[in-house]
Amino acid sequence: MASVLAVTNQKGGVGKTTTAVNLSACLAESGQRVLLIDLDPQGNATTGCGVVKRAALPTVYQVLIGRSTVADTRLASDFGFDVLPANRELAGAEIDLIEMELREYRLRDALVDVAGEYDFILLDCPPALNMLTVNGLVAADTVMIPMQCEYYALEGLTDLVATLKKVRANLNRRLEIEGLLRTMFDPRSTLTQQVSRDLEGHFGDKVYRTIIPRNVRLAEAPSYGKPVIAFDRSSKGAQAYLLLAQEILDRRAGKQGVGKKAAPGGGGQP
Ligand code: ATP
Ligand code: MG
């Protein structure tokens, strides 16, 4: 039975899509069966893993409004995982869903049929707390929160945690925070170091030990339609996402001492 992990943060540009695409690729490489679902009308996760959105084909939009199934809509990427693509049409789902019954549960219900075929289903959420994100949070078992260690990040986190509590109370009682991921990390910044320490102080073990450094190869890879491990495997960005996948698998296996090897190459402790 798949574990459904929503990569979410209502703040824009914090590395949600970069994390969803690269983690999918790294988990797939370690033998996990992965489905990546693009829940963002920007469609960045779809293009970022080289999936060509042809106009006639259904996307996650048709799945949400009940006109297609996940099995009929998913596409195989070249990187060992499946993708449920999105395009700009998905922006209309917000309005279409208003009229529908149980509109918060559309994605969760659509996933039932394929959950047995995957180990991980990763959801790339849009930068908003809208009905698409709510569908993601209702379908999810856990939430991964990528964030940049800057001053406003902590404020945004308070809002997000409040939203997660509401979803847990009203819509999805099993929802838990899987972890907070420090992204685009620049260890030279004193503020970054401070915010990073505050984060560990507040959230303790929920903060992944693996840190994703700022790395230009991570920003370049999507324009080639490739996850970074297929673009420049030796880059610090690729190494960091490989370590993150391992940390997630180790944590789930209940192992101790996870992430101790994370220091070299910028993928480790600040
Ligand atoms: P949105 O909220 O718009 O969906 P997002 O949270 O999904 O954004 P990304 O699209 O993953 O964020 O990243 C924003 C930008 O930063 C992109 O151009 C991406 O290539 C770049 N980026 C992400 N992570 C890194 C990193 N670790 N180092 C350098 N650039 C990065
Ligand atoms: Mg995104």
Side-chain angles (χ1 to χ4, degrees):
M1 200 64 168
S3 173
V4 184
L5 203 166
V7 182
T8 194
N9 189 333
Q10 78 279 13
K11 195 163 166 28
V14 296
K16 293 181 287 297
T17 302
T18 303
T19 298
V21 168
N22 288 300
L23 188 56
S24 293
C26 293
L27 286 170
E29 197 187 68
S30 41
Q32 304 294 312
R33 298 166 303 163
V34 179
L35 171 66
L36 169 61
I37 299 183
D38 192 347
L39 270 184
D40 188 341
Q42 296 179 100
N44 293 339
T46 305
T47 43
C49 48
V51 168
V52 180
K53 293 170 282 190
R54 268 187 277 136
L57 293 178
T59 67
V60 68
Y61 171 72
Q62 277 76 17
V63 173
L64 287 173
I65 61 170
R67 291 212 194 123
S68 186
T69 61
V70 176
D72 288 341
T73 308
R74 65 187 164 191
L75 300 168
S77 75
D78 290 341
F79 310 102
F81 61 92
D82 290 342
V83 181
L84 198 61
N87 59 25
R88 295 210 323 256
E89 200 179 15
L90 184 59
E94 188 80 8
I95 293 158
D96 295 327
L97 286 172
I98 290 173
E99 311 242 299
M100 297 197 171
E101 275 180 44
L102 298 173
R103 57 181 188 235
E104 295 92 348
Y105 297 89
R106 311 287 304 187
L107 182 64
R108 189 195 70 174
D109 292 349
L111 288 178
V112 170
D113 286 346
V114 297
E117 297 176 42
Y118 297 102
D119 299 304
F120 285 91
I121 298 179
L122 267 65
L123 314 176
D124 182 29
C125 294
L129 293 173
N130 59 17
M131 190 47 66
L132 292 168
T133 300
V134 169
N135 262 272
L137 296 178
V138 171
D141 301 303
T142 59
V143 167
M144 174 186 288
I145 306 170
M147 54 181 299
Q148 278 180 271
C149 290
E150 54 190 28
Y151 179 68
Y152 291 115
L154 291 174
E155 255 173 50
L157 204 53
T158 313
D159 294 342
L160 181 55
V161 169
T163 303
L164 295 177
K165 275 193 184 148
K166 271 191 221 160
V167 171
R168 197 181 301 129
N170 299 305
L171 296 164
N172 177 8
R173 294 180 73 172
R174 67 185 194 293
L175 188 67
E176 276 181 41
I177 294 181
E178 162 111 17
L180 285 92
L181 178 67
R182 291 165 281 186
T183 59
M184 297 184 224
F185 199 84
D186 177 5
R188 290 165 302 182
S189 155
T190 317
L191 178 63
T192 294
Q193 298 273 8
Q194 182 58 48
V195 173
S196 180
R197 275 195 295 273
D198 287 354
L199 206 60
E200 288 173 330
H202 276 94
F203 290 92
D205 283 351
K206 289 284 181 196
V207 183
Y208 292 109
R209 294 192 185 197
T210 307
I211 293 176
I212 310 299
R214 187 170 283 285
N215 176 241
V216 70
R217 305 304 262 171
L218 283 171
E220 289 168 350
S223 59
Y224 295 85
K226 288 182 178 179
V228 72
I229 52 169
F231 174 63
D232 182 356
R233 194 182 175 83
S234 62
S235 64
K236 288 182 175 181
Q239 294 302 309
Y241 277 108
L242 285 166
L243 281 172
L244 177 66
Q246 196 53 53
E247 181 175 354
I248 289 169
L249 293 173
D250 286 351
R251 272 200 196 191
R252 285 170 178 242
K255 287 186 194 158
Q256 300 297 314
V258 168
K260 284 205 174 124
K261 288 182 296 182
Q269 297 292 334

